[in-house]
């Protein structure tokens, strides 16, 4: 699964090395690519320019205002500003 910059899937900065689920949510570790994009994303994270991660999830289904099992995490984005909690779920519910 890839790590991209600002949800631009063509700007791949690295990839997941491990992902796991906890009571607090999904956790992951990443390795940055040895490319100009990867090095810049790493620097942006360290400097605080892009300190947040945002998940990219497919197949989100909502019932009674709760996400159902079965959604698929397929990537993550390193972003400047985080989405609000539940943004993907809210978008799925609205549509």
């Amino acid at each position: 699964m890839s790590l991209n910059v600002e949800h631009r899937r063509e700007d791949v900065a690295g990839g997941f090395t491990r992902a796991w689920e906890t009571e607090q949510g999904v956790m992951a570790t990443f390795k940055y690519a040895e490319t100009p994009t990867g090095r810049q994303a790493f620097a942006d994270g360290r400097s605080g320019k892009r300190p947040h991660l945002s998940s990219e999830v497919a197949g989100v289904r909502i019932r009674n205002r709760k996400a159902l099992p079965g959604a698929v995490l397929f990537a993550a984005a390193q972003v400047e500003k985080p989405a609000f909690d539940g943004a993907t779920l809210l978008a799925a519910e609205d549509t």
Side-chain angles (χ1 to χ4, degrees):
M1 295 184 289
S2 67
L3 172 65
N4 63 58
V5 178
E6 296 291 340
H7 293 288
R8 293 186 306 262
R9 294 182 189 149
E10 67 277 8
D11 287 344
V12 177
F16 286 66
T17 57
R18 181 173 174 234
W20 65 100
E21 194 169 348
T22 71
E23 289 182 13
Q24 292 78 32
V26 175
M27 305 292 171
T29 56
F30 301 89
K31 178 165 178 41
Y32 286 91
E34 288 293 330
T35 64
T37 301
R39 287 188 286 277
Q40 186 63 57
F42 180 78
D44 288 349
R46 287 191 65 138
S47 72
K49 180 177 180 182
R50 286 193 178 89
H52 304 284
L53 290 172
S54 179
S55 60
E56 296 190 347
V57 183
V60 176
R61 297 176 301 133
I62 305 293
R63 182 177 299 144
N64 298 326
R65 304 182 61 83
K66 294 198 184 260
L68 298 174
V72 176
L73 175 68
F74 65 87
Q78 184 175 328
V79 297
E80 184 176 346
K81 296 180 182 177
F84 55 91
D85 287 343
T88 299
L89 303 180
L90 180 61
E93 186 175 26
D94 285 348
T95 57

